[in-house]
Every structure is written in C-alpha cells, then in structure tokens.
Amino acid sequence: MPIYDAPTKDMQFVLHDVLDVSAQDIPGYEDLDREFTDAILGEAGKIAMEVMQPLNATGDEEGCVLENGVVRTPKGFKEAFDQVREGGWTALDCDPEYGGQGLPYVMSTAVGEMFSSANMAFNMYQGLTHGAYNAIHAHGSEQQKATYLPKMVSCEWGGTMNLTEPHCGTDLGLIRTKAEPQEDGSFRISGQKIWISAGEHDMCDNIIHLVLAKIPGGPDGVKGISLFIVPKFLVNEDGSLGERNSLSCGGLEKKMGIHGNATCVMNYDGAVGYLIGEEHKGMRAMFTMMNEARLGVGLQGYAQGVVAYQNALGFAKDRLQGRDATGVKAPEKPADPIIVHPDVRRNLMDQKSFVEGARAFTFWGASLIDRSHKAGDDEAEAMISLLTPVIKGFLTDKGFETTVLAQQTLGGSGFTREWGLEQFVRDCRITMIYEGTNGIQSLDLVGRKLAQNGGKTVMAFFEMVKAFIKENEGNAALKADFLDPLKAASKDLQAAGMYFMQNGMKNPNAALSGSYDFMHLFGHVCLGLMWARMGKAALTALEGGASDTEFYETKLATGRYYMARQLPMTGTHLARIESGAEPVMALEAANF
Amino acid sequence: MPIYDAPTKDMQFVLHDVLDVSAQDIPGYEDLDREFTDAILGEAGKIAMEVMQPLNATGDEEGCVLENGVVRTPKGFKEAFDQVREGGWTALDCDPEYGGQGLPYVMSTAVGEMFSSANMAFNMYQGLTHGAYNAIHAHGSEQQKATYLPKMVSCEWGGTMNLTEPHCGTDLGLIRTKAEPQEDGSFRISGQKIWISAGEHDMCDNIIHLVLAKIPGGPDGVKGISLFIVPKFLVNEDGSLGERNSLSCGGLEKKMGIHGNATCVMNYDGAVGYLIGEEHKGMRAMFTMMNEARLGVGLQGYAQGVVAYQNALGFAKDRLQGRDATGVKAPEKPADPIIVHPDVRRNLMDQKSFVEGARAFTFWGASLIDRSHKAGDDEAEAMISLLTPVIKGFLTDKGFETTVLAQQTLGGSGFTREWGLEQFVRDCRITMIYEGTNGIQSLDLVGRKLAQNGGKTVMAFFEMVKAFIKENEGNAALKADFLDPLKAASKDLQAAGMYFMQNGMKNPNAALSGSYDFMHLFGHVCLGLMWARMGKAALTALEGGASDTEFYETKLATGRYYMARQLPMTGTHLARIESGAEPVMALEAANF
C-alpha cells in the first residue's frame, strides 16, 4: 500500500530559509515565525496522513455512484470531510468577517500541498468551494456575501464552477445556457453544463453553483456572458434552507482518474439564479476564480509528484536487484538495493529536484498573491499574473512526468493497482487539462501576459534574475554550479522573447507556434532561479553553523543536479522556437 | 467511440519507396512486390478494423475474470481469436515445416502493427505464443518441435514466458523455482511465477508454458538457470491431450491497462516439465525469445501512438473552438476547427512525425532480422542486436508520450472513457516496463551492445549515416532540411560515445549515469536517418512524376518538422551525458 509522509521540514526550509516570510513587509506575515508555521504544518500533516491518505486508494477503487439523482461519495468521505471542516481546515485563509481564520495564502498553499498529495480527489470538494467563495467574496453584493459565505467558509455548503457545455470548453463565447430576467430581479437559468467537478454529492447540506449564462439581448460572444449564483436549495431570508431549485445531476462522467470526485453533467431547467456583479461582466468575475484555481492546479500537479516520489524512493531502497557496478554494497544480502544503480538514481534525482523546486516556486507565487492582496502591491499582482500560466502549465506537465518516472522506478509493480503509483499517474493527468489546457496556458502567456504593462513585467522578471546573479557573483560556491547555468538559461529565454517580438508582429503564428516551448523554457528558468535561491539559503545556513548539515548539503547536491541535468533543456526549447512557424504550419488540414 | 484506420498506404511507402524490399537480396523478398504486399496488408487491415478494434474498449471495460481456476476472457475474444487463427494470421512468418506460411518477418511486423493498434491486449495472446514458438523452434529437440510447434503455429495451443518471481524481475539470478530431475528424463517444477501474460485463459485447448527454473546442484546465479516446457495438459504420444499438469493460476493482477489480457500468478506444484536445450543454458534460449519480444514491444509502443494520433486528428478536424489568429477559416461556422491553431498543430505534428518515423525504423529493423535469419548475414545480426534496445526503449517512451499528446488534443474529452484516448495511454504504459524496463534497455545498450565486436557495429552505424549524407550531399532539396540536422545529431551521438570511452573505464558510473540519455540520443539519430531516407524517397518519387504529389509533399513536410523540432533534443541529451556521474551519484542513499 502506498504511503504519504508530510514534508514539513522541507516546507519550513522554503518558508523561512528561502522566503524568510516573517521578515517580509506583508500584513499578517509578522506572525509567521518558525514555531507557528511548524505547529500548523504539523497538524495539517497529521490530518493529511491519518484522515485523507487512507481513503485515497479506496476512493479510487469505489468511485462515486449516482442513484435517483443523488451522488454517493466513496465510503468514509463524508466522515473525513466533517472532521476536516470541524478542524477549521477549510477556513484557513478565508475572511474572518465570514468565519475564516484570515491566515496568509502562503500558509493555505503549504497545507493545500499536503492535502492534495494525500488525496487529490477528496480535496477537490473543498477546493472548488473555495474558488466559488473567492468569486462571491470579490464580486458579490453584501447581501450575497452574508447569505452564502459563512456556510461556504465552513464547507457546510459546497461550491462549484459551471463553465463548460458539450459544444464548448475553451471558447466560452459559444455558450448557450440562458438566463431569463424575472420581475423580482432574479433570473431563470436553463441549459446543460458538463464536467462539473463536485456538481452533486452527499457531503454538504447545500451546493452553491456558480453558472455562466447569457441574458437574452446581450452582446455576442464572451462579452455577453454573466455569472449567476444558483443554489441547489434556495435560501430563506432567515438563512434556513428552502425549496429545492430546478437543477439536477444528469449523469456522472466515467474518467481516467480522480474517481473519488464526482464529475457531473448538470441540467438547469429554469432554475432560480442571482446575478453576481454586473450584467455581461461574468468573465471578469470568473477569472477571479480561475487565476487562483490555476495556481491550485499547478500545486496539484507537483503534489502528485511529491507523493509518487516518496513511494518510488521507498521501493528503491528496499528492492534488491543486481549489484553496484563499482563494488558490492550489501554483501550480506542476495543483491544490492536498486538505489545503488546510476540509472535508478537519475530517475529519482529527476523527481526530487523537480518537486522541491516546484514547491519553492509555488510558495513564492503564493507570497506574491499575499503581497498583492494584503499589501496592495501592483507589481506583485502583475508578476503573479505573468507567472500563473507557467505555474499551471509547467508544473502540471512536469508533475505528471514525475509520476510516470516514479511509476517506472517500481518496474512491473508500478503498473499494478496494489502499489498505488498508477493511481497517482491517472489522477495527475487531469491537471494538464482542466482550468484551461496547458496549450491554452501557453497562449495566455505568450499572447497576453508577455505584453501586459507594455512588457514591463517580463522585463522586471529578467531584472530580478540579473540582480540575483550580480548580487551573488562573488560567491564562488554558487557561481559555477548555480549562477552560470541560470545566466545561460535566462539568456535563452530572452532570446526567445526577442524572436517573438521580431517575428510575431508580421506573423502571429511565428509566436504561437513556439508558445508551448516558451512556457517550458520559462518554467525551467523559474526553477533555476528557485534552485539558485535555495542553494544560497543552504550555503548561508551552513556558514551560519546550522546543525543539520546533511539536510543543507543534500539541498545543494539536489540543486546542482537540476542545474546540470534539467536546465540544458532551455537550448532545445529555444531551437524549436527559432525554427518558427513554417514547420508547424506547412500542412493543409486535409493532408495530416 | 474511437476509430482505427489501417495505414496501408504509408506501410506500402516504407516497404517499397524506402526499403525497396522486392529488390533486396534476401530469400523470400523477391515475392514482395507492391501488389502482393498490398493484398496482405489490405486483408490484415480488415481483420484489425472489423474483428479486433470493436473489442478493444469492451475488453478493457470488462477485463478478465478468474473463477474456480479458470480465466474467462472478455466477451467476443474467443470467437475473434478463432477467426484470426482460421485466417492463418497467427502463422504468417512461421516455418512451413510446422504449418507456417513462411513469409518474411518484415511482413508479420507490418501486420503486427495493425493488430496491435487495433487491440493490444487481444493480440498479446498470439504474440506470446509466437515468442514461445521461437524459443522451441530455435532450441527444442526434433521431438519437442514436432509435438508442440504445429499446434502453436495455429494457436490452437497458446504459449507463455515465465521469468519473474515475487522477489526478482530484472535480476533473474535470484530465481528460486526448482526443477527436480526424474528418472524418465523429465523434471518436476515447483515454484511461483508472477506477471505471466496470458498465463491462463479460455481461448486455447492447451497452454505451453516456458519456465525458467534451477536444477539443484547447478551453478549459482544466472549460470544455473535452465528452461523448461511445462504444458497445462500433458501431451500423449499420439498428440492427443492427456492429464492435467499440476500447475494453476493463483490470481489475476489488477493493473493500469491491458485489462483484456490475463496477467497471472502461476503456481507450479511439482508440475511435469521438459528441458529445452542444455542444462543451465536457459538464459541463452530465453534471450532468443526476448530479443524478438523486445522488437515486438517497441512496435506495440508506437502502434498505440498510431491509433491515438488518428483519433486526436479526427477530433482536431471536427471540434470548433476559437478563430484562426491570421483570419477566420470557417466563416459559416460558429468557430474554426481547432486544427487551425498553431499549438494544436505542434501537438499533432509531434505525434505524426514520430509514428511515421518509428514505423520506418521498425520495418528496417525487421528487414535486418530477415537478412540475418534468411541470408545468414552476421553484420545484419550484429546491427539489429545493437538497435534492439533503442527500438524497445526509445519507441515505447516516445510512443507513450504520443498517446499522452493525443489525449491532450482532446482536452477534457481525452480524460473520459468514452473517447478512448485514456485507454491508449493506460495500455501503452506497460510497454516501457515489460520485457526489461527501459532503464534496463539503456544498460544493455551502453554496457553491452556498444562494445560488441570491439565496437565495430556501432562504428558501422556511424559509417552508414556518414555514407548516406555523403552520397546525397549534392541534393540541395535534402541538404539543409535533412542532411545538415542529421549530421549535427550524429556528431552529438559520437561525442557521447567518446565521452563514455574516455570516462567509463575509470568510472563505470560515468557511462551508466548517461545511459538513458544515450538511448534517446541514439533513437533520435535513428529517426533522423529514417526521415532523411524517407525525404529522399519522396523527392525521388516526385521527380519520377508520381501522381500522388500530395502524399509525397506531406511526407517531406512531416520530415522537415521532425528534423527542425525533434532533433535538437540531441544537444540536451549530450549536455546531460557530459555532466557525468557526479550530479547523479552525489547523494548518500539515506539522504534522498
């Protein structure tokens, strides 16, 4: 059976040695000293390991069942969900005005990684509720907030996002769901939505659906989309539950993974809905949900990599096959553990160096969100907006790759249900698709984010990398192993940006043909920067006489691996980008 | 529902335009004119599309069931298997002396690709029988051949390979299954084998297990392993079935994919077995099976890519989302088909350029086997021996990647059961693992095959590439797009080989740390060579006034894509290899 071991120590390293959170000039961060964060992570780790992880394989095996319009979640899910809610874990970074604990987002991110590694399908129920909470919190009226948020913070009520319809996913301008205005100011919503995660289930008293729909007579395309609150049960003035709304789950999707989460077809049949914000401005409100949701999906991607790596490592230390080519390591045993073999190590180091880099990258991203939201810093806001498609696209692609590598470490055992690795692969696969496919992320990056603020933000990113290199150039222990490879990778990224500038105006396809490679190139530079910062933090700790020298030495060795063996990918990405549109666009559609 | 369209035309291109089979100096090839191969491929394609493919999704959904020691295969499998047998499709390249049709291996390879694309799990039943047939044919006594082969050629009897035990997969020296010699010259086999594909099922009258076991008193390790024929039912002297042997299926493995194939735990409880070949020489006989089995697995890997690509392409042409950035393409429709978008094309071209390159590589490999077996050419034998780990490792890694790319083309639909893409991903995943994990393939390549014949064979490979470049340098249409990138990639491969030579003697880990990258680097050079040869063939056809100009122009464009966008990977692989053992080996096992 698979295990999960909450990586509290490594999270503490990122929060304190690397990000130095308690010294940051962000309201709320002053409380984040080592002891406080250790206490939270310690408790969260227990919930993850003791309550969530034991339900991961059984939830996958059993899945969700739809009977007479009711979705039954797997055995134990409801009891576990109650325990999580009652422990306050769904309210961590929510507004205290509505019962939240008001902790910084960086802390709910760290906790979220643990929960997601332990049981991704289970944690989607609260994750989607949190997304819906965010949209209502940012765009709802005071009355809407007072009515819905307290129960959503506590997850007594769940929340969903309803975007996709059978004929449209990415291109929301095509949606057909209608919202007919009523005399009392409400609307009647009619249409079908598909792939609605947690659309119907038995763990909450009510489910608050956020639904994109078109008000007749509005503009065509995305400019005519509005966002509505459509509760499963209408809410009376006193806050009690009233009538059942005319909406229903029309079916469950059979899918590759996340079987413990109900993916629903939702039918709205003149259901009562309430407009959020202004008419026809639904996309803006939806993007509030989506931006954070995309960070959350990036996190899911590498979090599956984390737990997959842990299980691969355990196997590699136990499994005896063959002998070390440089001399027997375990003469008392019939064979050496396979971790002695260089190719097994290559595989493990690829996994380890990615997940640790991804963790630092994501926590840094979360701190930028805190800086934006809590300190009102527009530059931080612009930076995280630029990085969001990279976090979503790169971390899910590489997270999936990591689960596949981990599965490979186990050989034949990796293909069996029993060892659990194949579930991590199947569950992780969706992260490359939902909240906008990774192809769409790369278009968002190249087509929109690069040009935001007239390119100032991407220039600020390059300046940040440059400043870090310059600041530390005198540090011989950093220079050759960390700074030089980072400089080379960053140069490749700038060359790619330059190629787009010089060619994209004449022919947009010259940029769009390279968007996916650009997203990966950018991701490698970000992880390179993170590893350079982690390398510096480790050296600083060692120079400061830290007692746990093995931890910091290991960190340095892992970083050196990433710089030596992963960063060279930037050259290939650049070569592909510079090959331009011609190879990609040469064929007529009919000749494929 | 997924479709499959047998690629007869592209296979004909490889067989005739590229390999020019009927002109090759190999016995049996003189019959392979265009009409003859077209007839065979046409019929095989019908069987694949009409008999096998319709059972692919249902076989996955239903799986195999073990009840009272009997394994029930999915509905329709037995009837389809009978149809395949009766059509002679299991006997294609078998020895006419035992009822085979005696066709070249290159033809059974082409047919095998179709069958494997259509239904991988189903075709493993005959694939394993063919492997066991090969081992008995090469190493069995005349009496054994006469007893078993005719029924195995017709697949009235099935065959299996029994290697793995719970505590050992890769390291066969650790096996514990015992073979006690009896007075009548037979042996009694006792032990447990796991992961035995097609170990027990209801489609054949008898199953001939080939089992690795140790005769007490023999040498330790792999040098003490012998190979035995252990039939499910003993065979009487007149060829009729006798007593049930004391062996049984102890359980079915629950696994990620290939659900239609029974993966069995096999218990041998003093079962009667017959030695094949000499005592303690079982590994040699087993390798006869394994080398061809490895080619067959490489074929399975890209064959899943073929069918996945076909389905991704169909979706990309139908699905309407967004508009072409350079101008609307389908004004009469609410949106353009997604194939207009550069990033969707990038994805499709990655798939297409790989599967077509892989097909040429595999057919070329099959023709080397024919040259070795039928013309007794030792150089061809050495060349295919060198290329076997590349075909197995590279084509399954990239084949799997192709199924994942194809799944991504479909967005959310790719994650659902309904569209079938997720099954191709799950089924293909095993190809990277079985018949020796791809890590093991890379060790075989670097640790054994590079040095074979004192390095002469790998030098012959380089010479072949060089000669092709030199011979065609005057061809301006080939030079910049095909020959120059091939030259650069081949140079990277030579540099990597040089690095191993210079460093591997002092420290074997310097070579072993780069083995996986070397296997991929080698694979890219092989596909680059194939594309250069295909490019030349297409140009020749166009110059010769071929009527189907679109086909050949498309071939050229697809090749240019591979050279421009895939071959640059060789630089990254070389950089990783040249980073040496230090980054890979730095950590103590305890510090991972």
Side-chain angles (χ1 to χ4, degrees):
Chain A
M1 287 293 289
I3 58 100
Y4 173 62
D5 187 14
T8 308
K9 189 173 178 180
D10 202 60
M11 289 186 175
Q12 287 281 84
F13 168 74
V14 175
L15 290 174
H16 300 289
D17 290 358
V18 184
L19 298 177
D20 199 5
V21 282
S22 62
Q24 282 201 35
D25 180 25
I26 301 173
Y29 272 46
E30 61 281 358
D31 297 334
L32 302 182
D33 60 36
R34 277 184 192 266
E35 267 170 81
F36 179 70
T37 60
D38 193 54
I40 292 178
L41 296 175
E43 288 305 310
K46 273 189 216 160
I47 297 280
M49 292 187 282
E50 293 166 13
V51 178
M52 296 173 178
Q53 197 270 343
L55 298 174
N56 193 44
T58 55
D60 175 65
E61 192 67 31
E62 194 181 333
C64 295
V65 182
L66 173 65
E67 270 173 1
N68 305 320
V70 180
V71 172
R72 201 173 63 231
T73 53
K75 195 158 173 279
F77 267 41
K78 180 158 174 43
E79 294 74 14
F81 199 68
D82 287 343
Q83 211 175 326
V84 172
R85 290 199 293 111
E86 286 157 16
W89 294 106
T90 65
L92 226 49
D93 67 338
C94 293
D95 189 342
E97 200 179 328
Y98 303 105
Q101 303 193 27
L103 280 176
Y105 184 63
V106 74
M107 289 310 298
S108 68
T109 297
V111 170
E113 186 206 299
M114 289 180 179
F115 288 1
S116 193
S117 289
N119 194 330
M120 178 170 152
F122 175 82
N123 279 285
M124 288 173 64
Y125 292 100
Q126 62 159 307
L128 285 150
T129 305
H130 197 274
Y133 157 90
N134 275 336
I136 298 175
H137 192 264
H139 301 281
S141 67
E142 287 310 314
Q143 190 227 333
Q144 287 171 338
K145 291 198 237 183
T147 305
Y148 300 105
L149 294 188
K151 299 282 193 184
M152 294 174 78
V153 165
S154 66
C155 271
E156 286 164 272
W157 297 355
T160 70
M161 296 166 62
N162 288 240
L163 288 78
T164 306
E165 300 182 6
H167 63 290
C168 72
T170 297
D171 190 350
L172 289 170
L174 302 175
I175 71 171
R176 293 177 192 150
T177 297
K178 287 266 168 306
E180 296 279 356
Q182 306 296 304
E183 290 196 354
D184 66 355
S186 70
F187 291 77
R188 292 287 181 160
I189 314 292
S190 300
Q192 187 177 65
K193 297 285 182 177
I194 61 168
W195 302 340
I196 308 308
S197 297
E200 174 58 38
H201 57 85
D202 55 3
M203 301 204 291
C204 296
D205 299 333
N206 199 4
I207 298 175
I208 311 306
H209 301 286
L210 297 195
V211 182
L212 287 185
K214 287 188 170 175
I215 301 169
D220 281 346
V222 291
K223 288 179 182 161
I225 294 177
S226 306
L227 181 64
F228 299 89
I229 294 174
V230 190
K232 176 175 166 185
F233 290 100
L234 299 179
V235 180
N236 296 323
E237 289 211 357
D238 65 356
S240 64
L241 294 185
E243 265 183 79
R244 171 83 197 224
N245 207 347
S246 32
L247 59 91
S248 60
C249 171
L252 291 182
E253 210 71 59
K254 282 194 185 178
K255 55 199 196 294
M256 185 184 195
I258 50 166
H259 294 160
N261 199 276
T263 306
C264 302
V265 175
M266 294 302 297
N267 295 319
Y268 295 90
D269 189 19
V272 176
Y274 310 103
L275 182 69
I276 302 185
E278 293 172 56
E279 287 190 4
H280 314 317
K281 303 283 186 204
M283 289 303 285
R284 206 167 55 102
M286 202 42 122
F287 268 107
T288 304
M289 287 169 71
M290 263 201 306
N291 273 331
E292 260 189 63
R294 285 175 175 182
L295 289 178
V297 174
L299 180 144
Q300 286 181 323
Y302 86 79
Q304 288 301 295
V306 169
V307 65
Y309 166 65
Q310 290 182 351
N311 284 280
L313 178 60
F315 186 91
K317 286 179 174 177
D318 283 348
R319 177 78 170 174
L320 308 176
Q321 296 286 282
R323 290 295 186 186
D324 188 328
T326 61
V328 172
K329 281 285 190 309
E332 75 288 3
K333 293 182 177 160
D336 287 336
I338 62 171
I339 199 170
V340 304
H341 303 303
D343 189 61
V344 171
R345 281 173 170 258
R346 182 239 358 129
N347 185 335
L348 291 170
M349 289 300 290
D350 276 344
Q351 299 170 47
K352 180 177 170 65
S353 65
F354 167 70
V355 295
E356 293 179 10
R359 176 177 294 134
F361 186 25
T362 304
F363 286 17
W364 173 50
S367 77
L368 289 172
I369 287 186
D370 282 326
R371 184 171 291 284
S372 150
H373 289 185
K374 291 178 187 285
D377 183 329
D378 290 345
E379 283 172 27
E381 166 74 28
M383 186 60 74
I384 188 60
S385 166
L386 171 69
L387 297 177
T388 294
V390 182
I391 291 176
K392 198 283 183 181
F394 182 69
L395 297 192
T396 59
D397 276 359
K398 301 295 281 186
F400 175 72
E401 201 178 295
T402 301
T403 62
V404 173
L405 287 171
Q407 184 183 28
Q408 193 71 11
T409 313
L410 277 78
S413 300
F415 197 65
T416 64
R417 286 272 170 89
E418 188 186 350
W419 285 84
L421 274 293
E422 64 93 34
Q423 185 191 344
F424 303 138
V425 173
R426 287 186 292 101
D427 285 355
C428 194
R429 183 65 184 85
I430 189 61
T431 64
M432 295 154 72
I433 298 173
Y434 63 15
E435 299 302 336
T437 63
N438 287 355
I440 290 297
Q441 303 302 320
S442 77
L443 297 191
D444 180 45
L445 177 65
V446 169
R448 197 178 304 162
K449 300 297 176 64
L450 276 189
Q452 75 181 3
N453 306 329
K456 264 188 218 155
T457 309
V458 71
M459 291 311 296
F461 177 84
F462 287 130
E463 283 308 315
M464 181 172 48
V465 175
K466 219 163 139 181
F468 182 86
I469 293 171
K470 198 162 179 196
E471 203 177 296
N472 295 286
E473 231 160 13
N475 188 336
L478 271 185
K479 186 155 186 322
D481 291 344
F482 290 90
L483 303 181
D484 291 349
L486 175 59
K487 199 180 212 167
S490 176
K491 214 179 123 203
D492 285 346
L493 185 62
Q494 289 186 63
M498 191 62 75
Y499 180 86
F500 290 160
M501 294 227 300
Q502 287 169 345
N503 298 277
M505 291 295 226
K506 278 176 296 190
N507 177 12
N509 288 346
L512 297 176
S513 296
S515 64
Y516 211 89
D517 282 285
F518 188 80
M519 179 173 77
H520 274 251
L521 209 177
F522 210 145
H524 278 297
V525 173
C526 289
L527 258 62
L529 175 63
M530 291 300 118
W531 271 116
R533 291 179 65 176
M534 290 195 278
K536 184 185 175 179
L539 286 169
T540 305
L542 287 168
E543 282 156 16
S547 59
D548 195 355
T549 53
E550 279 191 353
F551 177 84
Y552 293 108
E553 297 284 6
T554 298
K555 195 56 80 176
L556 281 164
T558 309
R560 285 189 205 108
Y561 182 92
Y562 193 88
M563 305 312 272
R565 306 234 349 154
Q566 288 298 328
L567 272 200
M569 265 310 292
T570 61
T572 293
H573 289 305
L574 178 60
R576 286 181 186 154
I577 288 165
E578 291 183 341
S579 76
E582 173 58 22
V584 174
M585 305 305 294
L587 291 188
E588 289 299 314
N591 291 336
F592 267 81
Chain B
M1 287 293 290
I3 57 100
Y4 173 64
D5 187 16
T8 308
K9 189 172 177 181
D10 202 60
M11 289 185 174
Q12 287 281 83
F13 168 74
V14 175
L15 289 174
H16 301 287
D17 290 356
V18 184
L19 298 178
D20 199 6
V21 281
S22 62
Q24 282 201 36
D25 181 25
I26 301 173
Y29 272 46
E30 61 282 357
D31 297 333
L32 301 183
D33 60 38
R34 278 185 193 265
E35 268 171 81
F36 179 70
T37 61
D38 193 53
I40 292 179
L41 296 175
E43 288 306 310
K46 273 190 217 161
I47 296 281
M49 294 188 280
E50 294 166 15
V51 177
M52 297 175 179
Q53 196 271 342
L55 298 174
N56 193 44
T58 55
D60 175 64
E61 193 66 32
E62 194 181 333
C64 295
V65 181
L66 173 65
E67 271 173 2
N68 305 321
V70 180
V71 172
R72 202 174 61 231
T73 52
K75 193 157 174 278
F77 268 41
K78 180 157 173 42
E79 294 73 13
F81 199 69
D82 287 343
Q83 210 174 328
V84 171
R85 290 196 295 110
E86 285 158 17
W89 295 106
T90 66
L92 226 49
D93 67 338
C94 293
D95 188 342
E97 199 179 330
Y98 303 105
Q101 302 192 28
L103 280 177
Y105 184 65
V106 76
M107 288 312 296
S108 68
T109 297
V111 170
E113 185 205 299
M114 290 181 178
F115 288 0
S116 194
S117 289
N119 195 329
M120 178 170 152
F122 175 83
N123 279 288
M124 289 172 63
Y125 292 100
Q126 62 159 306
L128 286 149
T129 304
H130 196 274
Y133 158 89
N134 274 337
I136 297 175
H137 192 264
H139 302 281
S141 66
E142 287 310 314
Q143 189 228 334
Q144 287 171 338
K145 291 198 237 184
T147 305
Y148 300 104
L149 295 187
K151 298 282 192 183
M152 293 175 79
V153 165
S154 66
C155 271
E156 286 163 273
W157 297 355
T160 70
M161 297 166 62
N162 289 240
L163 289 76
T164 307
E165 300 182 5
H167 63 290
C168 72
T170 298
D171 190 350
L172 290 170
L174 304 174
I175 70 171
R176 293 178 192 148
T177 298
K178 288 266 169 309
E180 297 277 357
Q182 307 296 304
E183 290 197 354
D184 66 356
S186 72
F187 291 78
R188 292 286 182 162
I189 314 292
S190 300
Q192 188 177 64
K193 296 286 181 175
I194 62 168
W195 302 339
I196 308 309
S197 297
E200 174 58 39
H201 58 85
D202 55 2
M203 300 203 293
C204 295
D205 300 332
N206 198 5
I207 299 175
I208 311 306
H209 301 287
L210 297 195
V211 182
L212 288 186
K214 287 187 170 177
I215 300 169
D220 282 346
V222 291
K223 289 179 181 163
I225 294 177
S226 307
L227 182 64
F228 298 88
I229 294 174
V230 189
K232 176 176 166 186
F233 290 100
L234 299 179
V235 180
N236 296 324
E237 288 211 358
D238 65 356
S240 64
L241 295 185
E243 264 184 82
R244 169 86 196 220
N245 207 347
S246 32
L247 59 92
S248 61
C249 171
L252 291 182
E253 211 71 58
K254 282 193 186 180
K255 54 199 196 295
M256 184 182 195
I258 49 166
H259 294 161
N261 199 277
T263 307
C264 302
V265 175
M266 295 301 298
N267 295 319
Y268 294 89
D269 188 21
V272 175
Y274 310 102
L275 183 70
I276 301 185
E278 292 173 54
E279 285 189 9
H280 315 315
K281 303 285 186 202
M283 289 304 284
R284 205 168 57 101
M286 202 43 122
F287 268 108
T288 304
M289 286 169 71
M290 263 203 304
N291 272 331
E292 260 190 63
R294 286 175 174 180
L295 289 178
V297 174
L299 180 143
Q300 286 181 322
Y302 87 78
Q304 287 300 294
V306 169
V307 65
Y309 165 66
Q310 291 182 351
N311 283 279
L313 178 59
F315 187 91
K317 286 180 174 176
D318 283 348
R319 176 78 169 172
L320 307 177
Q321 297 284 283
R323 290 295 187 185
D324 188 326
T326 61
V328 171
K329 280 287 190 309
E332 74 289 3
K333 293 183 178 159
D336 288 337
I338 62 172
I339 199 168
V340 305
H341 303 305
D343 188 62
V344 171
R345 280 172 172 260
R346 183 240 355 130
N347 185 333
L348 291 171
M349 289 300 290
D350 276 345
Q351 298 169 49
K352 181 176 170 66
S353 65
F354 167 69
V355 295
E356 293 179 10
R359 176 176 296 132
F361 186 26
T362 305
F363 286 17
W364 174 49
S367 77
L368 289 173
I369 288 186
D370 282 327
R371 184 170 291 284
S372 149
H373 289 184
K374 292 178 185 284
D377 182 329
D378 290 345
E379 283 172 27
E381 166 76 29
M383 185 60 71
I384 189 60
S385 166
L386 171 69
L387 297 177
T388 294
V390 182
I391 291 176
K392 198 283 183 181
F394 182 69
L395 297 191
T396 59
D397 276 359
K398 301 295 281 186
F400 176 72
E401 203 180 296
T402 300
T403 62
V404 173
L405 288 171
Q407 185 184 27
Q408 193 71 12
T409 313
L410 277 77
S413 300
F415 197 65
T416 64
R417 285 272 171 88
E418 188 187 351
W419 286 85
L421 273 293
E422 64 94 33
Q423 185 190 345
F424 302 139
V425 173
R426 287 186 291 103
D427 285 355
C428 194
R429 182 66 184 87
I430 190 60
T431 63
M432 296 154 71
I433 298 172
Y434 63 15
E435 299 303 335
T437 63
N438 287 356
I440 290 297
Q441 303 303 320
S442 77
L443 297 191
D444 179 45
L445 176 64
V446 169
R448 197 179 305 161
K449 300 296 176 66
L450 276 190
Q452 74 182 3
N453 307 330
K456 262 188 220 156
T457 308
V458 72
M459 290 312 296
F461 178 83
F462 288 129
E463 283 308 314
M464 181 173 44
V465 175
K466 218 161 135 182
F468 182 85
I469 293 172
K470 197 162 177 196
E471 203 177 296
N472 295 286
E473 233 160 11
N475 188 336
L478 270 187
K479 186 157 187 322
D481 291 344
F482 291 90
L483 302 182
D484 291 349
L486 175 60
K487 199 180 212 168
S490 175
K491 213 178 125 203
D492 285 346
L493 184 63
Q494 290 186 62
M498 193 61 76
Y499 180 86
F500 290 160
M501 293 228 299
Q502 286 169 346
N503 298 277
M505 291 295 227
K506 279 177 297 191
N507 177 11
N509 287 346
L512 297 175
S513 296
S515 65
Y516 211 88
D517 282 283
F518 188 80
M519 179 173 76
H520 273 251
L521 209 177
F522 209 145
H524 278 297
V525 173
C526 289
L527 258 61
L529 174 64
M530 290 301 118
W531 272 116
R533 290 179 64 176
M534 289 194 279
K536 183 184 175 180
L539 286 169
T540 306
L542 287 168
E543 282 156 18
S547 58
D548 195 356
T549 53
E550 280 191 352
F551 177 84
Y552 293 108
E553 297 283 6
T554 297
K555 195 55 82 177
L556 282 164
T558 309
R560 284 188 205 108
Y561 182 93
Y562 193 89
M563 305 312 272
R565 307 235 349 157
Q566 288 297 328
L567 271 201
M569 266 309 293
T570 60
T572 293
H573 289 305
L574 178 61
R576 287 181 185 155
I577 289 165
E578 291 184 340
S579 75
E582 173 59 22
V584 175
M585 304 305 294
L587 293 187
E588 289 298 313
N591 291 336
F592 265 81

